Every structure is written in C-alpha cells, then in structure tokens.
C-alpha cells in the first residue's frame, strides 16, 4: 500500500503550558520546544520563540518582554499564542504549506470559550480542520491503553499548568478532575521557600533546575544537596547557599498533597466495576510531573494501588494525538465534540 499519507501536512500538537510538541505522521515528534515567546513591548512583534526565547528569561531590557502565552493549560494571551503557534508550524512544514488537519491536546476541564480560543489560534495559524482531544485521553492512547475496551483505566497526567486525572472506558472519560496545580506551582513554591526562609531571590529557571535535581514527593534513600545562587533580598548582593532535598521536599508538600487528594476524590466517584479494574491494572502517570522523584511511591502509599510511570512520560500526550491524527476515523469517538455554531 502506498505511503503517500505520511507526506501530508497533518499535524498533532501538544500545546502545553511549559512545552509545545508537534508530531507529523510518518516522522514522529518533529518539534519539542518551550512554550515561551519574546516580543517587543511597543509593537508586539515576536523576536524569538522556544529555546531562543527561554534563554532570554530574566535577561532582557525594558523594551523586550518574555512570557508564556499559555497559563494553567489554556491560552492567556491570544495574539502572542497565535503568533507562537504560527511560528512553530512554519518551522516544521515544508515550504510553508498550511497543515490540512490538526489535532490538539487540551485540558479536560477547559471552558467552551477556551476551546474556541485554541481552535481559532490553530485556524489563524493556517490549519484548515482542527480537532481537540482531552489531554488525559491523549496520554492514555499515547502510553498504549486500549481506550475502546469496556475496561477501567486511570491516568494521571501532570504537566506544567494542570494535573489531569481521569478514568477512561469505552472511548470516553467516565470521571475526571482537572487541577490547576502542576509543574509551575511546584516551581513557584520553591521560589517562595527561598524568599521566605533564606531571603534569597531566585528565578523560574533556577527553581526548575532545583526541582529536577533534588525535588521529591517522599523521603529518598540517600538525601541530596544542591548549591543555589541568587540575590540576597537584604543586602542586594548575589550569594550562594547549600540546601538539602529535605528542604525542597517540604516546600512541595502542599501541592503534592493536593494532587494525591485529587486522585483519592476521583477514585471515590468511580463506579465500583471500573474501580476493581483500576485496582487490578494500577494507576498510570504521564507528563513531566511524573518524573518527580518518589511521586509514584507517594501515590501508591495513599491509594494502596500499584502506580506505574509511563515510558517517556513527557511525550505521552503528543504520541497519543499522533496516533489519533494517523487514524482519525478509528479515534473519532474520543475527540471533543465541536459545539460551536
């Protein structure tokens, strides 16, 4: 059978708060860059996107502003988000041929207005046909769950802006919970910890590095230490201190507890037949937050169930949207219905 369909401009997009990933049929992930934009404050002309813009965070002069146009998983700045999406699509499509069909992963709890904003951004960026899929459904497909079967599956997708918790069966979401508590909140808690406890001001990028290197949700077999550089809020002079993973874990206790409690609440709402399936199959974690040390152990202790981290959890959503765009007719039942009129 000819493989001409692999050369179409269909795209699958994980439009995340922290990172944007794009999948093309036959090629897989062709773009993975931070959802960051640098633009001129006066003209709103975009100067840099992705990795180039990320290097500018905290280092610009007064005429350049660097932002994340998505907040809590949804578009916060429509004009800049549209420009970012257009630039990313232009970057991956040959000779600037607009994509024919696009599937985009969105949080399960977004409003109709927010869905419309995502659709409009993709259409204005050149897409002719736009479909939306809930991120937990996309993540479940991406990690290989048979979502069409009458079997209960629980997926917890922890991204940069939202934590999506869902129970899936028969190509639909039976129960779900979208928490605006995820990677960005963890970073902010670390920033506030240093400000409050050590009178030290650190930036978002430093907080992200600290989280990756020493952040944890439960005690480690061997606790870690890290050197942290920032500006002393009392003297105004840069300084360096050493903190342990115990301190960082304590700063993350509240948001981690909220995510665990969300999982417990959703399990209470799950029909008993599906709950027994989940007990047998376990809970699956995806998204960048799944990589937080000992998070699976913490959830397992709270629920009494087996907890598994997906292979390459950062790409679970875009892999799922990729499978959908490659077989749109088969996966059409899992797409969010377009209620626009």
């Amino acid at each position: 059978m000819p493989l001409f369909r692999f050369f179409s401009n269909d795209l699958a997009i994980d439009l995340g708060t922290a990172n944007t990933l794009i999948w093309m049929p036959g090629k897989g992930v062709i773009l993975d860059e931070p959802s960051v934009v640098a633009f001129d404050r006066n003209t709103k002309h975009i100067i840099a996107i992705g990795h180039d813009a990320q290097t500018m965070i905290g280092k610009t002069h007064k005429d350049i502003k660097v932002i994340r146009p998505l907040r809590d998983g949804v578009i916060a700045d429509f004009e800049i988000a549209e420009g970012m999406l257009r630039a990313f699509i232009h970057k991956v499509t040959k000779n600037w041929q607009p994509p024919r069909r696009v599937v985009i992963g969105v949080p399960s709890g977004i409003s109709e207005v927010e869905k419309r904003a995502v659709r409009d951004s993709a259409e204005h960026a050149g897409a002719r046909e736009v479909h939306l899929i809930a991120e937990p459904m996309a993540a479940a497909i991406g990690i290989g769950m048979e979502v069409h079967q009458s079997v209960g599956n629980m997926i917890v997708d922890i991204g940069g802006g939202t934590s999506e918790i869902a129970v899936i069966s028969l190509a639909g979401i039976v129960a779900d919970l979208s928490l605006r508590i995820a990677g960005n909140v963890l970073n902010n808690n670390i920033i506030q910890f240093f400000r409050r406890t050590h009178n030290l001001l650190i930036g978002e990028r430093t907080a992200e590095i600290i989280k990756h290197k020493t952040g944890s949700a439960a005690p480690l077999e061997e606790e870690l230490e890290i050197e942290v550089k920032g500006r002393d809020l009392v003297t105004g002079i840069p300084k360096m201190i050493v903190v342990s993973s115990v301190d960082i874990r304590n700063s993350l206790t509240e948001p981690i507890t909220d995510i665990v409690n969300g999982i417990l609440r959703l399990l209470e709402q799950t029909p008993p037949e599906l709950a027994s399936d989940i007990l047998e199959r376990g809970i699956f974690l995806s998204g960048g937050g799944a990589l937080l040390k000992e998070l699976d152990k913490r959830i397992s202790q709270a629920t009494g169930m087996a907890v598994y981290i997906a292979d390459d959890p950062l790409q679970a959503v875009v892999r799922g949207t990729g499978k959908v765009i490659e077989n749109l007719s088969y996966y059409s039942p899992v797409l969010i219905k377009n209620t626009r009129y």
Side-chain angles (χ1 to χ4, degrees), residues 151-154 165-169 174-176 262-279 305:
V151 177
N153 294 289
M154 176 173 260
I165 312 166
V167 175
I168 294 168
S169 178
V174 178
D176 70 290
I263 294 170
L264 293 172
R265 287 205 307 275
L266 197 66
L267 285 169
E268 290 174 1
Q269 300 170 22
T270 302
E273 295 295 340
L274 296 181
S276 64
D277 290 338
I278 296 168
L279 179 62
M305 297 183 184

Side-chain angles (χ1 to χ4, degrees), residues 40-239:
D40 187 299
R41 289 177 183 270
N42 302 312
T43 64
K44 275 215 162 184
H45 171 70
I46 292 178
I47 298 167
I49 60 168
H51 294 300
D52 294 336
Q54 189 176 45
T55 62
M56 299 181 182
I57 294 176
K59 300 179 180 180
T60 61
H61 55 74
K62 64 178 182 179
D63 292 332
I64 296 178
K65 187 174 183 181
V66 183
I67 67 166
R68 294 184 182 275
L70 288 96
R71 189 177 302 123
D72 300 331
V74 296
I75 294 174
D77 188 314
F78 182 87
E79 185 179 349
I80 297 300
E82 182 184 317
M84 179 187 76
L85 191 57
R86 182 190 296 271
F88 281 147
I89 291 175
H90 191 184
K91 199 170 185 178
V92 302
T93 51
K94 206 170 185 179
N95 300 322
W96 183 221
Q97 291 296 317
R100 186 166 62 90
R101 299 180 302 182
V102 171
V103 176
I104 303 177
V106 296
S108 59
I110 69 171
S111 67
E112 290 300 322
V113 173
E114 290 165 339
K115 291 175 191 173
R116 190 173 301 122
V118 174
R119 282 195 177 97
D120 289 346
S121 286
E123 288 170 357
H124 293 162
R128 301 176 199 171
E129 185 181 319
V130 181
H131 301 278
L132 305 183
I133 182 172
E135 286 175 353
M137 179 65 79
I141 295 169
I143 67 176
M145 288 183 178
E146 293 294 335
V147 297
H148 290 80
Q149 293 182 358
S150 57
V151 177
N153 294 289
M154 176 173 260
I155 183 86
V156 181
D157 182 62
I158 305 171
T162 60
S163 292
E164 306 288 322
I165 312 166
V167 175
I168 294 168
S169 178
L170 289 170
I173 295 177
V174 178
D176 70 290
L177 185 62
S178 182
L179 301 174
R180 299 201 170 184
I181 302 167
N184 289 349
V185 171
L186 300 183
N187 292 345
N188 188 59
N189 273 41
I190 292 172
I191 292 170
Q192 294 306 317
F193 163 75
F194 281 99
R195 177 190 287 268
R196 186 175 58 249
T197 307
H198 298 285
N199 287 321
L200 188 72
L201 183 64
I202 64 170
E204 180 186 331
R205 289 182 65 193
T206 301
E208 182 84 11
I209 291 168
I210 294 168
K211 180 181 69 178
H212 287 164
K213 290 187 175 180
T214 61
S216 62
L220 303 172
E221 288 185 11
E222 184 177 340
E223 298 295 347
L224 308 169
E225 288 190 340
I226 187 171
E227 294 181 349
V228 179
K229 299 171 185 175
R231 177 162 58 84
D232 192 308
L233 288 168
V234 177
T235 66
I237 299 173
K239 74 173 183 179

